[in-house]
Amino acid sequence: MKRPATVLLTALAPVSWGTTYAVTTEFLPADRPLFTGLMRALPAGLVLLALARVLPRGAWWGKAAVLGALNIGAFFPLLFLSAYRMPGGMAAVVGSIGPLFVVGLSALLLGQRPTARSVITGFVAASGVSLVVLKAAGALDTVGVLAALASTASMSAGTVLTKRWGRPDGVGPLALTAWQLTAGGLLIAPLALLVEGAPPALDGRAVGGYLYLALANTAVAYWLWFRGIGRLTATQVTFLGPLSPLTAAVVGWAALGQALTPVQLGGMALAFGATVAGQLQPVRQPVGCGSPGVDCAARRHGVPPAPTRAAPAARLPAA
């Protein structure tokens, strides 16, 4: 598939995630961030695992656990904690610095030297998103801000490591997504029970909200996201992230009656322009780095990347 089509499909993931804040505040039980993260991750992971019918093997048990912890197990509870404590747009503002995190981590882990263009574009994206969401009603909450910052750092690290490790030979993005969602959900489960106690009673509205989050917002969206990481650079993928808070602002305006000022509209234009510019950056990553079966670590030691022997995937027995 050509790169523009890959970019557009990958962009659907942060657009979907931008609806998370409205769904959380309008449909789900209050003050249950861990349970909400669990209901979003584990059912989606088990559904995708049943479809992929592939289990990790060898070192990929550990890698899947690490990626699941960063992209799901830590990210989801922190995201919902910030969403519960602050308005949706304000909770998302810290996520706009994700591209800057990824630029720095890509230099450390992928051998990609930061360019002035990527850094400036990252600051423009963060500034644009800030103009959009900091005009929203509501006061800053210290715990909410720290949770949003930690969730952004966790997701950024997970994105870069996903690119660095690639995938085992013969394993597609569907299986990789299933492994991470399942691992992350299993990590959240005991924490949810210990901290929040028994699951709350759910009405039809909450059930519908959780079904939406688990299927469209998580299973499909994360499959598109990890598929995009395999085909684009980590920096290009993360510059799609500002679409999430922009979507949250639009949903707040269209569905929740939140006003958009001229300053916010200008910020949206800046952030969207930075997102587009992030896709036009030259690729500085060595050929093959981050692809399935390719060792990116060789790059840091001055050795040309060479294929590595990836552990074969174990297939689940047919039902």
Side-chain angles (χ1 to χ4, degrees):
M1 182 177 293
K2 295 183 178 179
R3 192 168 70 87
T6 300
V7 170
L8 290 175
L9 285 175
T10 308
L12 293 177
V15 168
S16 173
W17 298 335
T19 66
T20 302
Y21 311 104
V23 172
T24 299
T25 56
E26 299 298 317
F27 290 86
L28 305 184
D31 300 321
R32 301 302 293 263
L34 291 173
F35 178 75
T36 297
L38 172 63
M39 291 298 292
R40 184 182 175 188
L42 191 55
L46 293 176
V47 168
L48 293 184
L49 192 61
L51 292 174
R53 310 193 69 80
V54 178
L55 290 174
R57 288 195 62 183
W60 268 98
W61 282 106
K63 290 181 179 180
V66 170
L67 294 178
L70 291 172
N71 287 322
I72 310 298
F75 176 68
F76 278 8
L78 291 167
L79 173 70
F80 285 112
L81 178 60
S82 66
Y84 277 122
R85 297 186 70 98
M86 296 188 297
M90 194 176 294
V93 66
V94 182
S96 65
I97 67 174
L100 296 176
F101 281 176
V102 169
V103 167
L105 290 171
S106 294
L108 292 174
L109 300 178
L110 302 180
Q112 295 179 337
R113 178 179 297 179
T115 65
R117 181 176 180 178
S118 64
V119 174
I120 292 172
T121 303
F123 276 111
V124 171
S127 299
V129 172
S130 298
L131 290 175
V132 174
V133 302
L134 291 182
K135 292 293 181 180
L140 287 174
D141 178 272
T142 301
V143 174
V145 170
L146 291 176
L149 180 63
S151 69
T152 301
S154 179
M155 183 68 166
S156 299
T159 297
V160 174
L161 282 178
T162 300
K163 187 65 180 178
R164 173 183 167 83
W165 288 338
R167 300 190 304 269
D169 290 335
V171 172
L174 186 69
L176 183 64
T177 305
W179 298 349
Q180 295 186 55
L181 288 172
T182 303
L186 292 175
L187 178 64
I188 297 171
L191 294 175
L193 183 61
L194 179 64
V195 175
E196 298 178 351
L202 303 179
D203 57 16
R205 189 179 181 87
V207 170
Y210 282 128
L211 283 175
Y212 168 77
L213 289 183
L215 298 178
N217 187 266
T218 301
V220 175
Y222 269 90
W223 170 70
L224 291 172
W225 184 254
F226 292 128
R227 176 181 176 277
I229 291 176
R231 302 186 181 201
L232 305 170
T233 68
T235 303
Q236 288 171 329
V237 171
T238 196
F239 268 110
L240 297 173
L243 294 176
S244 178
L246 295 185
T247 301
V250 172
V251 171
W253 166 74
L256 305 179
Q258 298 172 356
L260 289 174
T261 68
V263 172
Q264 288 176 290
L265 294 174
M268 293 176 72
L270 276 178
F272 186 75
T275 297
V276 174
Q279 308 311 308
L280 303 177
Q281 297 182 70
V283 177
R284 291 182 174 271
Q285 168 175 319
V287 175
C289 184
S291 300
V294 174
D295 184 9
C296 297
R299 171 82 162 92
R300 302 196 309 278
H301 298 287
V303 180
T308 59
R309 292 184 177 273
R315 295 198 169 268
L316 295 175

